[in-house]
Amino acid sequence: MTRRPHMPHAIKMAVGTRQEWHCACGCKGWLLFGQTEFDHNPALMNRAFDPVTNTYTPDANDPAFIQAFTTGCHALKTFGPGGERRITTRGSDIGEAARTTSIASKHQAHLQAMAAKQCGQPRQPKSSFARRVAR
C-alpha cells in the first residue's frame, strides 16, 4: 500500500465550508484551525486500492468522503470511547480494522485445515469423554 496522500488546503477549505465550520459528529463544536482534524470516511484502509495507478476508490482527496472533526471527537471516532463507558475499541476505525484482520486470519486457518482433511477418514473425538463413550 502507498503512503497516505497529502490533503491540499483547498480540500480542507471545501470540507469546512460544506460542514459550515461545525464538527461532523454533531456536538455543535466549532472547527478552529489548529484544533481541526480531517477524517476519511470510509477510512483509507477500507477502500479499494489499485497498486498499478497508486489510487484509492473513491479518491483519497475527494471532499465528499472527508469529514472535519474537533481533535477530541476525531480521537473518539478513531480509537473508541476507551474508559468512558466501556473498555473496548469496537465500532472505532482501529477496532474494526483489527477485527477484520482477526476474522480473515481465522478463516484462512479454517480453510487450510479443511484442505488438509482427507475424505473418508473418521473424525477425531473432541474430548476424552467422547473416547470413553465410543469404546
Side-chain angles (χ1 to χ4, degrees), residues 35-85:
Q35 297 175 356
T36 300
E37 295 182 5
F38 294 89
D39 184 65
H40 295 89
N41 190 20
L44 292 182
M45 64 185 121
N46 296 333
R47 295 186 189 191
F49 179 73
D50 183 10
V52 175
T53 60
N54 242 6
T55 58
Y56 291 94
T57 304
D59 185 45
N61 285 331
D62 185 350
F65 296 97
I66 297 174
Q67 296 175 324
F69 288 95
T70 59
T71 304
C73 294
H74 184 240
L76 189 66
K77 181 183 182 297
T78 303
F79 304 113
E84 266 183 35
R85 292 181 294 224

Side-chain angles (χ1 to χ4, degrees), residues 66-124:
I66 297 174
Q67 296 175 324
F69 288 95
T70 59
T71 304
C73 294
H74 184 240
L76 189 66
K77 181 183 182 297
T78 303
F79 304 113
E84 266 183 35
R85 292 181 294 224
R86 59 185 193 264
I87 307 298
T88 182
T89 57
R90 185 75 162 103
S92 66
D93 289 344
I94 290 184
E96 289 304 309
R99 180 175 177 267
T100 302
T101 303
S102 173
I103 290 172
S105 65
K106 288 177 184 176
H107 181 65
Q108 190 62 32
H110 171 72
L111 292 178
Q112 289 173 352
M114 295 304 290
K117 269 178 76 171
Q118 293 181 355
C119 187
Q121 294 293 326
R123 289 184 183 183
Q124 295 295 322

Side-chain angles (χ1 to χ4, degrees), residues 14-23 29-31:
V15 171
T17 304
R18 182 189 76 223
Q19 292 180 203
E20 298 178 355
W21 302 103
H22 285 89
C23 184
W30 286 92
L31 300 175

